[in-house]
mmCIF file with all atom_site columns, all heavy atoms in Angstrom:
data_model
loop_
_atom_site.group_PDB
_atom_site.id
_atom_site.type_symbol
_atom_site.label_atom_id
_atom_site.label_alt_id
_atom_site.label_comp_id
_atom_site.label_asym_id
_atom_site.label_entity_id
_atom_site.label_seq_id
_atom_site.pdbx_PDB_ins_code
_atom_site.Cartn_x
_atom_site.Cartn_y
_atom_site.Cartn_z
_atom_site.occupancy
_atom_site.B_iso_or_equiv
_atom_site.pdbx_formal_charge
_atom_site.auth_seq_id
_atom_site.auth_comp_id
_atom_site.auth_asym_id
_atom_site.auth_atom_id
_atom_site.pdbx_PDB_model_num
ATOM 1   N N   . LEU A 1 55 ? -10.254 -4.271  10.165 1.00 0.00 ? 76 LEU A N   1
ATOM 2   C CA  . LEU A 1 55 ? -11.240 -3.911  9.168  1.00 0.00 ? 76 LEU A CA  1
ATOM 3   C C   . LEU A 1 55 ? -12.322 -5.002  9.074  1.00 0.00 ? 76 LEU A C   1
ATOM 4   O O   . LEU A 1 55 ? -13.503 -4.699  8.861  1.00 0.00 ? 76 LEU A O   1
ATOM 5   C CB  . LEU A 1 55 ? -10.576 -3.703  7.793  1.00 0.00 ? 76 LEU A CB  1
ATOM 6   C CG  . LEU A 1 55 ? -9.729  -2.431  7.696  1.00 0.00 ? 76 LEU A CG  1
ATOM 7   C CD1 . LEU A 1 55 ? -9.016  -2.386  6.370  1.00 0.00 ? 76 LEU A CD1 1
ATOM 8   C CD2 . LEU A 1 55 ? -10.538 -1.177  7.926  1.00 0.00 ? 76 LEU A CD2 1
ATOM 9   N N   . LYS A 1 56 ? -11.941 -6.278  9.137  1.00 0.00 ? 77 LYS A N   1
ATOM 10  C CA  . LYS A 1 56 ? -12.893 -7.376  9.063  1.00 0.00 ? 77 LYS A CA  1
ATOM 11  C C   . LYS A 1 56 ? -13.855 -7.310  10.265 1.00 0.00 ? 77 LYS A C   1
ATOM 12  O O   . LYS A 1 56 ? -15.066 -7.505  10.096 1.00 0.00 ? 77 LYS A O   1
ATOM 13  C CB  . LYS A 1 56 ? -12.161 -8.725  9.048  1.00 0.00 ? 77 LYS A CB  1
ATOM 14  C CG  . LYS A 1 56 ? -13.049 -9.919  8.927  1.00 0.00 ? 77 LYS A CG  1
ATOM 15  C CD  . LYS A 1 56 ? -13.694 -9.992  7.566  1.00 0.00 ? 77 LYS A CD  1
ATOM 16  C CE  . LYS A 1 56 ? -14.512 -11.256 7.444  1.00 0.00 ? 77 LYS A CE  1
ATOM 17  N NZ  . LYS A 1 56 ? -15.374 -11.212 6.288  1.00 0.00 ? 77 LYS A NZ  1
ATOM 18  N N   . GLU A 1 57 ? -13.318 -7.054  11.458 1.00 0.00 ? 78 GLU A N   1
ATOM 19  C CA  . GLU A 1 57 ? -14.174 -6.950  12.623 1.00 0.00 ? 78 GLU A CA  1
ATOM 20  C C   . GLU A 1 57 ? -15.100 -5.726  12.553 1.00 0.00 ? 78 GLU A C   1
ATOM 21  O O   . GLU A 1 57 ? -16.259 -5.799  13.005 1.00 0.00 ? 78 GLU A O   1
ATOM 22  C CB  . GLU A 1 57 ? -13.321 -6.870  13.910 1.00 0.00 ? 78 GLU A CB  1
ATOM 23  C CG  . GLU A 1 57 ? -12.579 -8.148  14.239 1.00 0.00 ? 78 GLU A CG  1
ATOM 24  C CD  . GLU A 1 57 ? -11.573 -7.956  15.358 1.00 0.00 ? 78 GLU A CD  1
ATOM 25  O OE1 . GLU A 1 57 ? -11.432 -6.859  15.877 1.00 0.00 ? 78 GLU A OE1 1
ATOM 26  O OE2 . GLU A 1 57 ? -10.938 -8.966  15.692 1.00 0.00 ? 78 GLU A OE2 1
ATOM 27  N N   . THR A 1 58 ? -14.588 -4.629  11.996 1.00 0.00 ? 79 THR A N   1
ATOM 28  C CA  . THR A 1 58 ? -15.340 -3.384  11.963 1.00 0.00 ? 79 THR A CA  1
ATOM 29  C C   . THR A 1 58 ? -16.344 -3.335  10.800 1.00 0.00 ? 79 THR A C   1
ATOM 30  O O   . THR A 1 58 ? -17.496 -2.935  10.974 1.00 0.00 ? 79 THR A O   1
ATOM 31  C CB  . THR A 1 58 ? -14.405 -2.211  11.884 1.00 0.00 ? 79 THR A CB  1
ATOM 32  O OG1 . THR A 1 58 ? -13.461 -2.257  12.960 1.00 0.00 ? 79 THR A OG1 1
ATOM 33  C CG2 . THR A 1 58 ? -15.127 -0.878  11.936 1.00 0.00 ? 79 THR A CG2 1
ATOM 34  N N   . LEU A 1 59 ? -15.872 -3.768  9.609  1.00 0.00 ? 80 LEU A N   1
ATOM 35  C CA  . LEU A 1 59 ? -16.706 -3.617  8.407  1.00 0.00 ? 80 LEU A CA  1
ATOM 36  C C   . LEU A 1 59 ? -17.426 -4.903  7.981  1.00 0.00 ? 80 LEU A C   1
ATOM 37  O O   . LEU A 1 59 ? -18.246 -4.846  7.089  1.00 0.00 ? 80 LEU A O   1
ATOM 38  C CB  . LEU A 1 59 ? -15.844 -3.137  7.248  1.00 0.00 ? 80 LEU A CB  1
ATOM 39  C CG  . LEU A 1 59 ? -15.132 -1.766  7.450  1.00 0.00 ? 80 LEU A CG  1
ATOM 40  C CD1 . LEU A 1 59 ? -14.235 -1.473  6.274  1.00 0.00 ? 80 LEU A CD1 1
ATOM 41  C CD2 . LEU A 1 59 ? -16.151 -0.657  7.653  1.00 0.00 ? 80 LEU A CD2 1
ATOM 42  N N   . GLY A 1 60 ? -17.044 -6.021  8.571  1.00 0.00 ? 81 GLY A N   1
ATOM 43  C CA  . GLY A 1 60 ? -17.675 -7.276  8.212  1.00 0.00 ? 81 GLY A CA  1
ATOM 44  C C   . GLY A 1 60 ? -17.414 -7.651  6.771  1.00 0.00 ? 81 GLY A C   1
ATOM 45  O O   . GLY A 1 60 ? -16.276 -7.605  6.299  1.00 0.00 ? 81 GLY A O   1
ATOM 46  N N   . HIS A 1 61 ? -18.472 -7.948  6.031  1.00 0.00 ? 82 HIS A N   1
ATOM 47  C CA  . HIS A 1 61 ? -18.322 -8.411  4.623  1.00 0.00 ? 82 HIS A CA  1
ATOM 48  C C   . HIS A 1 61 ? -17.862 -7.272  3.690  1.00 0.00 ? 82 HIS A C   1
ATOM 49  O O   . HIS A 1 61 ? -17.496 -7.534  2.566  1.00 0.00 ? 82 HIS A O   1
ATOM 50  C CB  . HIS A 1 61 ? -19.615 -9.051  4.133  1.00 0.00 ? 82 HIS A CB  1
ATOM 51  C CG  . HIS A 1 61 ? -20.703 -8.071  3.910  1.00 0.00 ? 82 HIS A CG  1
ATOM 52  N ND1 . HIS A 1 61 ? -21.474 -7.559  4.943  1.00 0.00 ? 82 HIS A ND1 1
ATOM 53  C CD2 . HIS A 1 61 ? -21.176 -7.478  2.787  1.00 0.00 ? 82 HIS A CD2 1
ATOM 54  C CE1 . HIS A 1 61 ? -22.342 -6.693  4.464  1.00 0.00 ? 82 HIS A CE1 1
ATOM 55  N NE2 . HIS A 1 61 ? -22.201 -6.645  3.153  1.00 0.00 ? 82 HIS A NE2 1
ATOM 56  N N   . LEU A 1 62 ? -17.902 -6.031  4.160  1.00 0.00 ? 83 LEU A N   1
ATOM 57  C CA  . LEU A 1 62 ? -17.459 -4.914  3.314  1.00 0.00 ? 83 LEU A CA  1
ATOM 58  C C   . LEU A 1 62 ? -15.942 -4.656  3.387  1.00 0.00 ? 83 LEU A C   1
ATOM 59  O O   . LEU A 1 62 ? -15.414 -3.861  2.644  1.00 0.00 ? 83 LEU A O   1
ATOM 60  C CB  . LEU A 1 62 ? -18.187 -3.623  3.771  1.00 0.00 ? 83 LEU A CB  1
ATOM 61  C CG  . LEU A 1 62 ? -19.695 -3.606  3.604  1.00 0.00 ? 83 LEU A CG  1
ATOM 62  C CD1 . LEU A 1 62 ? -20.289 -2.335  4.167  1.00 0.00 ? 83 LEU A CD1 1
ATOM 63  C CD2 . LEU A 1 62 ? -20.077 -3.765  2.131  1.00 0.00 ? 83 LEU A CD2 1
ATOM 64  N N   . ALA A 1 63 ? -15.249 -5.368  4.264  1.00 0.00 ? 84 ALA A N   1
ATOM 65  C CA  . ALA A 1 63 ? -13.802 -5.180  4.424  1.00 0.00 ? 84 ALA A CA  1
ATOM 66  C C   . ALA A 1 63 ? -13.066 -5.652  3.174  1.00 0.00 ? 84 ALA A C   1
ATOM 67  O O   . ALA A 1 63 ? -13.489 -6.618  2.499  1.00 0.00 ? 84 ALA A O   1
ATOM 68  C CB  . ALA A 1 63 ? -13.320 -5.969  5.619  1.00 0.00 ? 84 ALA A CB  1
ATOM 69  N N   . PRO A 1 64 ? -11.940 -4.970  2.812  1.00 0.00 ? 85 PRO A N   1
ATOM 70  C CA  . PRO A 1 64 ? -11.179 -5.432  1.662  1.00 0.00 ? 85 PRO A CA  1
ATOM 71  C C   . PRO A 1 64 ? -10.525 -6.790  1.941  1.00 0.00 ? 85 PRO A C   1
ATOM 72  O O   . PRO A 1 64 ? -10.326 -7.148  3.113  1.00 0.00 ? 85 PRO A O   1
ATOM 73  C CB  . PRO A 1 64 ? -10.114 -4.361  1.484  1.00 0.00 ? 85 PRO A CB  1
ATOM 74  C CG  . PRO A 1 64 ? -10.021 -3.670  2.803  1.00 0.00 ? 85 PRO A CG  1
ATOM 75  C CD  . PRO A 1 64 ? -11.381 -3.809  3.442  1.00 0.00 ? 85 PRO A CD  1
ATOM 76  N N   . LYS A 1 65 ? -10.225 -7.558  0.888  1.00 0.00 ? 86 LYS A N   1
ATOM 77  C CA  . LYS A 1 65 ? -9.552  -8.824  1.040  1.00 0.00 ? 86 LYS A CA  1
ATOM 78  C C   . LYS A 1 65 ? -8.170  -8.597  1.636  1.00 0.00 ? 86 LYS A C   1
ATOM 79  O O   . LYS A 1 65 ? -7.473  -7.670  1.251  1.00 0.00 ? 86 LYS A O   1
ATOM 80  C CB  . LYS A 1 65 ? -9.458  -9.521  -0.298 1.00 0.00 ? 86 LYS A CB  1
ATOM 81  C CG  . LYS A 1 65 ? -10.797 -9.917  -0.855 1.00 0.00 ? 86 LYS A CG  1
ATOM 82  C CD  . LYS A 1 65 ? -10.678 -10.602 -2.199 1.00 0.00 ? 86 LYS A CD  1
ATOM 83  C CE  . LYS A 1 65 ? -12.040 -11.002 -2.646 1.00 0.00 ? 86 LYS A CE  1
ATOM 84  N NZ  . LYS A 1 65 ? -12.452 -10.410 -3.886 1.00 0.00 ? 86 LYS A NZ  1
ATOM 85  N N   . PRO A 1 66 ? -7.732  -9.456  2.554  1.00 0.00 ? 87 PRO A N   1
ATOM 86  C CA  . PRO A 1 66 ? -6.402  -9.279  3.151  1.00 0.00 ? 87 PRO A CA  1
ATOM 87  C C   . PRO A 1 66 ? -5.294  -9.491  2.123  1.00 0.00 ? 87 PRO A C   1
ATOM 88  O O   . PRO A 1 66 ? -5.451  -10.250 1.148  1.00 0.00 ? 87 PRO A O   1
ATOM 89  C CB  . PRO A 1 66 ? -6.337  -10.329 4.230  1.00 0.00 ? 87 PRO A CB  1
ATOM 90  C CG  . PRO A 1 66 ? -7.527  -11.173 4.112  1.00 0.00 ? 87 PRO A CG  1
ATOM 91  C CD  . PRO A 1 66 ? -8.451  -10.564 3.151  1.00 0.00 ? 87 PRO A CD  1
ATOM 92  N N   . MET A 1 67 ? -4.171  -8.831  2.319  1.00 0.00 ? 88 MET A N   1
ATOM 93  C CA  . MET A 1 67 ? -3.017  -8.985  1.456  1.00 0.00 ? 88 MET A CA  1
ATOM 94  C C   . MET A 1 67 ? -2.354  -10.303 1.769  1.00 0.00 ? 88 MET A C   1
ATOM 95  O O   . MET A 1 67 ? -2.511  -10.855 2.893  1.00 0.00 ? 88 MET A O   1
ATOM 96  C CB  . MET A 1 67 ? -2.022  -7.832  1.685  1.00 0.00 ? 88 MET A CB  1
ATOM 97  C CG  . MET A 1 67 ? -2.551  -6.484  1.261  1.00 0.00 ? 88 MET A CG  1
ATOM 98  S SD  . MET A 1 67 ? -2.745  -6.324  -0.495 1.00 0.00 ? 88 MET A SD  1
ATOM 99  C CE  . MET A 1 67 ? -1.092  -6.065  -1.032 1.00 0.00 ? 88 MET A CE  1
ATOM 100 N N   . PRO A 1 68 ? -1.561  -10.868 0.829  1.00 0.00 ? 89 PRO A N   1
ATOM 101 C CA  . PRO A 1 68 ? -0.850  -12.121 1.131  1.00 0.00 ? 89 PRO A CA  1
ATOM 102 C C   . PRO A 1 68 ? 0.258   -11.854 2.155  1.00 0.00 ? 89 PRO A C   1
ATOM 103 O O   . PRO A 1 68 ? 0.541   -10.729 2.530  1.00 0.00 ? 89 PRO A O   1
ATOM 104 C CB  . PRO A 1 68 ? -0.250  -12.474 -0.242 1.00 0.00 ? 89 PRO A CB  1
ATOM 105 C CG  . PRO A 1 68 ? -0.222  -11.229 -1.019 1.00 0.00 ? 89 PRO A CG  1
ATOM 106 C CD  . PRO A 1 68 ? -1.342  -10.395 -0.516 1.00 0.00 ? 89 PRO A CD  1
ATOM 107 N N   . LEU A 1 69 ? 0.884   -12.921 2.611  1.00 0.00 ? 90 LEU A N   1
ATOM 108 C CA  . LEU A 1 69 ? 1.898   -12.840 3.648  1.00 0.00 ? 90 LEU A CA  1
ATOM 109 C C   . LEU A 1 69 ? 3.042   -11.882 3.269  1.00 0.00 ? 90 LEU A C   1
ATOM 110 O O   . LEU A 1 69 ? 3.449   -11.048 4.065  1.00 0.00 ? 90 LEU A O   1
ATOM 111 C CB  . LEU A 1 69 ? 2.445   -14.244 3.950  1.00 0.00 ? 90 LEU A CB  1
ATOM 112 C CG  . LEU A 1 69 ? 3.446   -14.344 5.084  1.00 0.00 ? 90 LEU A CG  1
ATOM 113 C CD1 . LEU A 1 69 ? 2.807   -13.881 6.372  1.00 0.00 ? 90 LEU A CD1 1
ATOM 114 C CD2 . LEU A 1 69 ? 3.952   -15.754 5.207  1.00 0.00 ? 90 LEU A CD2 1
ATOM 115 N N   . PHE A 1 70 ? 3.554   -11.990 2.040  1.00 0.00 ? 91 PHE A N   1
ATOM 116 C CA  . PHE A 1 70 ? 4.621   -11.117 1.614  1.00 0.00 ? 91 PHE A CA  1
ATOM 117 C C   . PHE A 1 70 ? 4.115   -10.080 0.620  1.00 0.00 ? 91 PHE A C   1
ATOM 118 O O   . PHE A 1 70 ? 3.353   -10.420 -0.275 1.00 0.00 ? 91 PHE A O   1
ATOM 119 C CB  . PHE A 1 70 ? 5.776   -11.943 0.965  1.00 0.00 ? 91 PHE A CB  1
ATOM 120 C CG  . PHE A 1 70 ? 6.567   -12.690 1.965  1.00 0.00 ? 91 PHE A CG  1
ATOM 121 C CD1 . PHE A 1 70 ? 6.261   -14.014 2.252  1.00 0.00 ? 91 PHE A CD1 1
ATOM 122 C CD2 . PHE A 1 70 ? 7.597   -12.091 2.650  1.00 0.00 ? 91 PHE A CD2 1
ATOM 123 C CE1 . PHE A 1 70 ? 6.990   -14.740 3.191  1.00 0.00 ? 91 PHE A CE1 1
ATOM 124 C CE2 . PHE A 1 70 ? 8.332   -12.800 3.601  1.00 0.00 ? 91 PHE A CE2 1
ATOM 125 C CZ  . PHE A 1 70 ? 8.030   -14.121 3.874  1.00 0.00 ? 91 PHE A CZ  1
ATOM 126 N N   . VAL A 1 71 ? 4.567   -8.862  0.790  1.00 0.00 ? 92 VAL A N   1
ATOM 127 C CA  . VAL A 1 71 ? 4.208   -7.750  -0.120 1.00 0.00 ? 92 VAL A CA  1
ATOM 128 C C   . VAL A 1 71 ? 5.444   -7.125  -0.685 1.00 0.00 ? 92 VAL A C   1
ATOM 129 O O   . VAL A 1 71 ? 6.525   -7.143  -0.107 1.00 0.00 ? 92 VAL A O   1
ATOM 130 C CB  . VAL A 1 71 ? 3.342   -6.684  0.601  1.00 0.00 ? 92 VAL A CB  1
ATOM 131 C CG1 . VAL A 1 71 ? 2.011   -7.258  1.032  1.00 0.00 ? 92 VAL A CG1 1
ATOM 132 C CG2 . VAL A 1 71 ? 4.074   -6.079  1.780  1.00 0.00 ? 92 VAL A CG2 1
#
Side-chain angles (χ1 to χ4, degrees):
L76 290 174
K77 182 69 175 167
E78 290 171 359
T79 305
L80 300 176
H82 72 281
L83 297 175
K86 294 180 178 119
M88 294 293 281
L90 185 60
F91 286 95
V92 294

